[in-house]
Amino acid sequence: MRPVVFIWLFLLTAVTAALAQKPSVEVYKVKVVMQGGPRLRGTLADVSETDVTINGEGTGWYQPTRNIPLSGVKKVVLRRRNRQRSPVQGAILGGLLLGYTVVRSSQKNGFRSPVLYGLNLTLAVAGGAGLGAVLGNHLGPNSRKVIRPRGRDGEQVSENLRRQLEPFTYAYQLDVLNRVRP
């Protein structure tokens, strides 16, 4: 029993350490809602004192870049671009949880042969992984953030919106990483 628990703990820590690695720069998809009503979509590239730059969602290799004036923005909705970790984490946790349950239950009521034990454990881990992947995909982390401009006059609104958006831009994150790396 103890070797099985140690193997499970080793696998859990190894998988957790592998999933803890984050990409160096996070890319945010944005939906910019303008004062007049139009909505523009793309990835957040940069923000200056007067406008926000987004790379549009073109087809194929063509990605039109748009500069949107900050004074005309009603709100900006940010979403993380890569949300593929949730199904993988759900599958791992579901498989480990159901596998651990089978191991614990087999201690109380043993199997007639080791082949039945292995088959039962394999099917339980596969079923738990499948269920965990489905749940992880639907119950994944909500990475949506809404940013609204605040202030009284146009210049104050633009400056406030620029300061709120700046940490999420690709250019800012790349600049921070270049300052940290030797």
Side-chain angles (χ1 to χ4, degrees), residues 13-26 82 85 89:
T13 56
V15 168
T16 304
L19 290 176
Q21 304 297 322
K22 291 193 174 192
S24 56
V25 176
E26 292 188 22
N82 48 356
R85 285 197 329 230
Q89 286 178 342

Side-chain angles (χ1 to χ4, degrees), residues 131-162:
L131 183 64
V134 169
L135 288 176
N137 191 28
H138 292 294
L139 302 175
N142 188 6
S143 60
R144 180 175 175 248
K145 182 174 179 70
V146 178
I147 297 178
R148 298 179 193 276
R150 297 184 189 126
R152 296 183 187 264
D153 60 344
E155 188 175 313
Q156 188 180 15
V157 168
S158 296
E159 180 63 22
N160 182 277
L161 187 60
R162 184 191 67 80

Side-chain angles (χ1 to χ4, degrees), residues 9 15 20 23 45 57 70 86 92 94 112-113 124 143 157 175:
L9 288 175
V15 168
E57 295 179 338
L70 289 173
S86 297
I92 291 169
R112 292 182 184 177
S113 72
S143 60
V157 168
D175 185 44

Side-chain angles (χ1 to χ4, degrees), residues 4 8-9 11-12 15 88-106 120-133 135:
V4 172
W8 282 109
L9 288 175
L11 287 175
L12 180 64
V15 168
V88 173
Q89 286 178 342
I92 291 169
L93 290 176
L96 288 176
L97 184 65
L98 214 53
Y100 178 74
T101 305
V102 167
V103 169
R104 292 293 293 181
S105 69
S106 68
N120 193 13
L121 183 62
T122 303
L123 290 175
V125 168
L131 183 64
L135 288 176

